[in-house]
Amino acid sequence: MPKKLIKRFLPDHEAIKRQKALKVFGNVLYNPNLWSLNRRSASGAFAVGLFMAFVPLPSQMIMAAGLAILFGVNLPLSVALVWITNPITMPVIFYFTYKLGAFLMGTPHQHFHFELSWEFLLNQMSHIGPPFLLGCTVCAFVAAALGYFGVRGLWRYSVVRSWRKRKSR
């Protein structure tokens, strides 16, 4: 069952309550919906985490945590899913989003040599920024929808399968 698999990787609720660094959030983190694992909270967490994974900002985890608190979905799962775009996968994923955005806008994609500097980013964002942001937006919504409905479908399939197993005994 997906619940058992996911719960194996999530931190204990009581251990998180004891963290002194998280005291700044006050009682917001004590909401049981943020830590429960059911079909609604897991599918919502997948939607939030996958959406935020395609947001090209350095504070993705903080924004994912804020959205998880706002929507009342599983907090650890939504924050962990942001790491789909990690320093290793980010160049490939964001290059794909740029190519998708350029395709959707009907503009030829620009060839460029990447440099890690503010001058490069500010200079190139006027050229590659609109297709890149469009591609990120489209991928974020598609990934969130696929994650949400995929988890709900898999969860439902797992429950029906266990019902059938129990019924056949």
Side-chain angles (χ1 to χ4, degrees), residues 111-125:
H111 293 285
F112 58 89
H113 176 70
F114 182 75
E115 295 175 22
L116 190 58
S117 68
W118 283 111
E119 290 177 30
F120 170 78
L121 290 174
L122 294 176
N123 218 6
Q124 289 297 319
M125 270 318 212

Side-chain angles (χ1 to χ4, degrees), residues 53 60 80-94:
Q60 294 170 320
L81 282 166
V82 169
W83 280 94
I84 288 175
T85 52
N86 57 58
I88 295 170
T89 62
M90 197 177 292
V92 175
I93 290 173
F94 284 160

